[in-house]
Amino acid sequence: MICGGSEGPVVRFRILGGLEAVSPLGSATVSGEFQRRLLQTLLVSEGRAITGDMLMTELWGELPPAGAANALQAHASRIRRKIRQIEPHRERPRLICRPNGYQLLMDGAELDATAFVESVARAERIRLDAPEQAVGLLRPALRLWSGAVCGGSPGGPLCRAAAARYEERRLQAMEALFDSELMLGRHAAILAELREVHMDDPLRERFCEQLMVALYRSGRQAEALGTCRRTWQCLIDQLGVDPSPSLRRVEHAILAQDPALDRGPVSAVHAARIP
């Protein structure tokens, strides 16, 4: 929830699906390519100062043009003014100049990526003992995503690394969500979701395992085994590798109708032996 402090309304930054800065007073439109790259670089740095050299690499690559330092300063000034327009009561500029670069101060601001990571971390700490509470944290956290990080704008090395990190965290959050739902016996309720994520990412074996368990618990053993075999073939065709021991354990458990499949998360069957 956004609330106003002593300096006025709080600004909220969004990068999970687009690039936006908003407050109860409005939004700051950052339309130019270089300004967008600069803002997203500062945001994925989550309040850390970034050197001017690193920022110029993000904006122009390894060979910045002549006058890049002055252009960087001009872009920073424009962003500073735009943010100021949506939190005019803030006494200190949010984007400040450091001796060797720039820093976007996050004090009093909200970043959707930070909120997402923190919620997922809390859910993972409690999900084995309190799966219902974990689901209550994970589903709202995943709803913060509306698309690719920063709208799919690749940016430079820092932005690409951050986008990959956040995307991997999103996939891990989905795995934790489905494990929690399976612990609660909701295999039928999540079948459609599991099918969709498995089709979107057929090489991610954990989604395959979770879908297999949900199908098995729904009385669809043959379909569960077919899902495993298609994934197996996909791994061989696209990566030239065999399935992991984890996936083969789940397959063996289904073939043996292991009682461990009837309860708990996928990890409940990972201790099964492969003959």
Side-chain angles (χ1 to χ4, degrees):
M1 181 178 68
I2 295 179
C3 58
S6 59
E7 295 186 340
V10 170
V11 65
R12 172 183 289 173
F13 295 102
R14 297 172 179 159
I15 62 173
L16 301 181
L19 179 64
E20 190 176 24
V22 298
S23 84
L25 298 181
S27 63
T29 302
V30 182
S31 54
E33 177 186 355
F34 293 120
Q35 288 180 46
R36 289 180 64 84
R37 285 194 176 195
L38 176 56
L39 180 57
Q40 73 184 51
T41 303
L42 292 165
L43 286 171
V44 301
S45 300
E46 298 184 4
R48 295 184 297 274
I50 306 297
T51 67
D53 288 343
M54 293 178 70
L55 289 171
M56 285 188 285
T57 298
E58 291 291 309
L59 269 62
W60 292 287
E62 294 295 332
L63 297 173
N70 289 335
L72 174 61
Q73 183 178 16
H75 290 313
S77 295
R78 293 187 186 102
I79 290 175
R80 185 183 296 114
R81 288 197 298 270
K82 289 177 178 180
I83 295 176
R84 168 75 72 178
Q85 291 173 0
I86 61 173
E87 50 173 3
H89 302 290
R90 181 178 170 86
E91 295 179 0
R92 186 184 187 189
R94 189 165 291 283
L95 176 55
I96 62 173
C97 181
R98 293 295 189 189
N100 296 318
Y102 292 88
Q103 181 179 13
L104 187 67
L105 301 176
M106 299 303 295
D107 55 295
E110 297 181 0
L111 177 62
D112 58 357
T114 300
F116 168 76
V117 170
E118 290 176 350
S119 291
V120 173
R122 289 197 299 272
E124 289 180 339
R125 286 195 296 269
I126 66 172
R127 68 183 179 88
L128 293 179
D129 297 321
E132 186 76 61
Q133 294 179 38
V135 169
L137 288 168
L138 289 165
R139 287 205 177 274
L142 286 163
R143 283 196 293 269
L144 292 173
W145 288 75
S146 60
V149 175
C150 295
S153 176
L158 286 175
C159 288
R160 291 195 297 270
R165 184 174 68 250
Y166 289 134
E167 175 61 19
E168 177 61 25
R169 205 76 181 95
R170 183 183 71 87
L171 294 172
Q172 291 172 351
M174 293 173 70
E175 292 172 349
L177 171 65
F178 295 136
D179 262 357
S180 299
E181 296 281 28
L182 287 172
M183 289 179 69
L184 293 165
R186 298 173 181 165
H187 44 275
I190 62 172
L191 262 178
E193 287 180 275
L194 275 170
R195 284 187 188 281
E196 183 176 356
V197 299
H198 175 59
M199 290 178 64
D200 289 343
D201 198 348
L203 298 178
R204 197 169 182 94
E205 293 182 55
R206 187 59 173 273
F207 289 150
C208 179
E209 295 172 16
Q210 292 171 321
L211 178 56
M212 289 167 64
V213 170
L215 286 167
Y216 178 83
R217 291 184 185 177
S218 300
R220 297 154 76 169
Q221 178 175 347
E223 193 173 346
L225 293 171
T227 298
C228 179
R229 288 163 190 151
R230 285 190 297 273
T231 298
W232 191 315
Q233 192 62 51
C234 192
L235 288 165
I236 292 173
D237 292 344
Q238 297 192 34
L239 300 180
V241 300
D242 288 328
S244 67
S246 174
L247 182 59
R248 288 186 285 124
R249 287 188 188 103
V250 176
E251 180 193 35
H252 174 67
I254 290 174
L255 287 167
Q257 297 186 346
D258 192 320
L261 287 164
D262 298 328
R263 60 187 181 278
V266 170
S267 57
V269 301
H270 284 172
R273 290 187 176 182
I274 302 174

